[in-house]
Amino acid sequence: MTDRREFEVKVESAASDTAMPDWERRLYAGANWLDGRLGIRFWTMAGLVIASLVVGTPHILVHYQCYGRCGQKATESNCQYFGVRGWQTAAPEHGKCARIRLI
């Protein structure tokens, strides 16, 4: 057996001063739990939610009004859509209301 007095303990590196905050550690733990339980379904649902927040959700044209000069060179238009996020009003793109639009 060796005598413990022969060894000298040196600390080569200490714990990082920029430890992960508690909320971030909980977020990663929750994501890991969901990934373990749901797998690819979780990542598919998360991707769809993020895409809907960034790009928009599909809406269909319900009501169209033209003010002032109408036709192909309409000056003022009002496009009203209904879809996943409910009733939305949007300015027309290129002077025409698209039948389906991501809002």
Side-chain angles (χ1 to χ4, degrees):
M1 234 178 171
T2 59
D3 191 12
R4 290 187 179 214
R5 289 180 255 166
E6 294 176 11
F7 297 101
E8 184 178 332
V9 177
K10 291 183 181 180
V11 177
E12 296 291 328
S13 65
S16 175
D17 289 338
T18 58
M20 188 181 299
D22 190 41
W23 66 268
E24 192 174 355
R25 188 174 37 246
R26 287 183 186 177
L27 180 70
Y28 282 121
N32 287 335
W33 182 81
L34 284 172
D35 186 34
R37 297 281 181 190
L38 301 177
I40 192 69
R41 291 177 291 172
F42 166 70
W43 294 111
T44 303
M45 289 184 326
L48 289 173
V49 168
I50 290 171
S52 71
L53 292 174
V54 172
V55 177
T57 56
H59 285 70
I60 189 164
L61 180 66
V62 175
H63 187 70
Y64 170 82
Q65 278 186 316
C66 177
Y67 302 101
R69 187 174 176 183
C70 295
Q72 288 184 347
K73 297 180 181 180
T75 54
E76 293 292 324
S77 302
N78 183 7
C79 308
Q80 295 180 0
Y81 295 90
F82 185 75
V84 177
R85 293 187 183 174
W87 196 271
Q88 301 283 329
T89 302
E93 295 177 356
H94 311 294
K96 285 187 165 184
C97 294
R99 293 179 189 216
I100 297 176
R101 186 169 177 187
L102 295 176
I103 298 177

